[in-house]
């Protein structure tokens, strides 16, 4: 029997489950390994050296457990460590970046807000991306919203709490036309962003990343269609998750996000 394609996903925590969930709607027959670096979450307030070390450990695990490709489903780790990882490993490695390009194309000359972790907001990669896609008159507003990472990790999803927090960091009077969710943990709060802003276009990097993943798998002859759904193995900082309550929590997160992909 032909081996199924194995795709490794990695994030500091549960954020990347949102990206993997979308990938599974597109390619259900692959086997997935999801690595959450729960021992070290959050990455968004750490130094480059630490983030690179932890990302290296995660990718090493995924590659040594048979991943044909790895998705760094974390904007922060991509910003700090993707060049290092690509230079070190021979499997295709796909990163994530805030979706400022599609947002700028659809909302040229309108106000755009980018929310991400402090590390992504300060990182050179985001600033280069903005310089490529905007002129100086239409620069987006960048706001770090790190508490959303802890809310997601602690399963705090109630709209009132999230909107109250957003009100402390975002000035709603700016009337933004679009918000870019530049952290994979933030996708779980789409409903709260909508409640907070009312009419607003929401962008994230999920679709672009998954499209890139499939073209790389095809280019590398690693795209194998098989019958039936593949498996998902969840790993927390190198330990396979077997506890039923944790597995249920991960499945609930996937259910929370999958409605946006239908
Ligand atoms: N989910 C991650 C991202 O996309 C980072 C969250 C964190 O660990 O701070 O940036």
């Amino acid at each position: 029997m032909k081996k199924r394609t194995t795709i490794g996903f990695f994030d500091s925590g549960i954020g990347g489950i949102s990206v993997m969930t979308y990938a599974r709607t597109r390619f259900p027959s692959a086997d997935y390994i999801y690595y959450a670096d729960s021992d070290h979450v959050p990455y968004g307030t750490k130094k480059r050296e630490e983030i690179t070390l932890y990302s290296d450990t995660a990718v090493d695990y995924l590659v040594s457990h048979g991943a044909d490709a790895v998705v760094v489903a974390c904007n922060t780790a991509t910003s700090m460590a993707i060049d290092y990882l690509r230079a070190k490993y021979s499997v295709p490695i796909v990163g994530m970046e805030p979706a400022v390009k599609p947002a700028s194309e659809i909302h040229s000359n309108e106000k755009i807000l980018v929310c991400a972790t402090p590390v992504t907001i300060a990182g050179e990669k985001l600033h280069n991306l903005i310089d490529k896609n905007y002129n100086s008159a239409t620069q987006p507003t960048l706001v770090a919203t790190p508490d959303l990472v802890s809310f997601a990790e602690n399963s705090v999803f109630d709209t009132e709490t999230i909107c109250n927090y957003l009100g402390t960091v975002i000035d709603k009077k700016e009337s933004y036309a679009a918000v870019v969710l530049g952290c994979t943990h933030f996708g779980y709060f789409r409903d709260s962003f909508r409640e907070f802003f009312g009419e607003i276009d929401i962008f994230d990097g999920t679709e672009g990343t998954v499209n890139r993943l499939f073209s790389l798998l095809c280019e590398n002859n690693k795209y194998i269609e098989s019958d039936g759904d593949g498996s998902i193995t969840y790993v927390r900082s190198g330990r396979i998750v077997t506890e039923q309550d944790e597995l249920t929590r991960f499945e609930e997160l996937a259910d929370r996000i999958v409605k946006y992909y239908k």
Side-chain angles (χ1 to χ4, degrees):
M1 208 172 83
K2 258 199 302 184
K3 177 186 169 293
R4 287 174 189 268
T5 301
T6 301
I7 306 172
F9 273 76
F10 146 64
D11 180 37
S12 59
I14 49 129
I17 291 175
S18 59
V19 189
M20 182 179 72
T21 301
Y22 178 60
R24 289 191 72 235
T25 65
R26 298 268 306 274
F27 193 19
S29 70
D31 284 336
Y32 289 83
I33 310 175
Y34 186 86
Y35 187 115
D37 192 8
S38 324
D39 289 358
H40 303 115
V41 66
Y43 282 8
T45 48
K46 292 192 166 57
K47 295 201 166 39
R48 180 190 292 273
E49 295 70 32
E50 283 176 282
I51 296 168
T52 304
L53 176 70
Y54 299 147
S55 304
D56 188 16
T57 305
V59 174
D60 184 62
Y61 180 98
L62 293 168
V63 171
S64 63
H65 285 76
D68 295 305
V70 170
V71 178
V72 178
C74 176
N75 295 262
T76 309
T78 301
S79 167
M80 292 293 113
I82 199 85
D83 298 336
Y84 173 88
L85 298 170
R86 287 195 178 125
K88 179 164 175 182
Y89 296 94
S90 57
V91 299
I93 297 185
V94 187
M96 295 232 31
E97 58 185 17
V100 294
K101 186 170 188 283
S104 74
E105 285 164 0
I106 295 173
H107 296 282
S108 55
N109 299 319
E110 290 181 290
K111 282 190 183 169
I112 291 173
L113 172 70
V114 179
C115 294
T117 67
V119 164
T120 302
I121 293 287
E124 203 188 337
K125 271 212 171 0
L126 177 59
H127 291 270
N128 290 342
L129 191 64
I130 288 171
D131 288 346
K132 250 205 270 173
N133 290 285
Y134 295 85
N135 60 44
S136 54
T138 60
Q139 294 272 313
T141 303
L142 310 184
V143 175
T145 50
D147 290 22
L148 292 181
V149 176
S150 2
F151 285 135
E153 288 294 327
N154 293 304
S155 305
V156 177
F157 293 113
D158 77 280
T159 307
E160 196 184 336
T161 307
I162 303 308
C163 288
N164 283 343
Y165 168 64
L166 293 178
T168 65
V169 283
I170 296 168
D171 182 0
K172 246 196 333 198
K173 291 196 296 297
E174 287 293 332
S175 18
Y176 294 106
V179 57
V180 175
L181 306 182
C183 169
T184 52
H185 280 74
F186 300 174
Y188 302 116
F189 301 111
R190 272 172 179 260
D191 290 346
S192 297
F193 272 96
R194 209 166 285 295
E195 173 78 23
F196 181 74
F197 284 110
E199 263 315 294
I200 196 160
D201 228 357
I202 301 180
F203 291 82
D204 69 30
T206 303
E207 196 179 337
T209 293
V210 171
N211 287 342
R212 179 77 189 132
L213 167 69
F214 291 129
S215 38
L216 281 176
L217 284 171
C218 291
E219 274 169 36
N220 288 273
N221 297 318
K222 296 286 188 190
Y223 187 97
I224 304 164
E225 284 282 7
S226 314
D227 291 337
D229 287 356
S231 61
I232 311 179
T233 305
Y234 288 98
V235 178
R236 297 179 58 147
S237 301
R239 304 174 297 276
I240 292 180
V241 177
T242 53
E243 300 83 359
Q244 194 48 54
D245 56 339
E246 261 311 88
L247 293 170
T248 304
R249 180 175 161 241
F250 293 149
E251 276 158 23
E252 282 171 1
L253 287 164
D255 288 347
R256 176 173 285 281
I257 204 90
V258 78
K259 64 177 177 200
Y260 301 116
Y261 305 141
K262 282 183 175 149

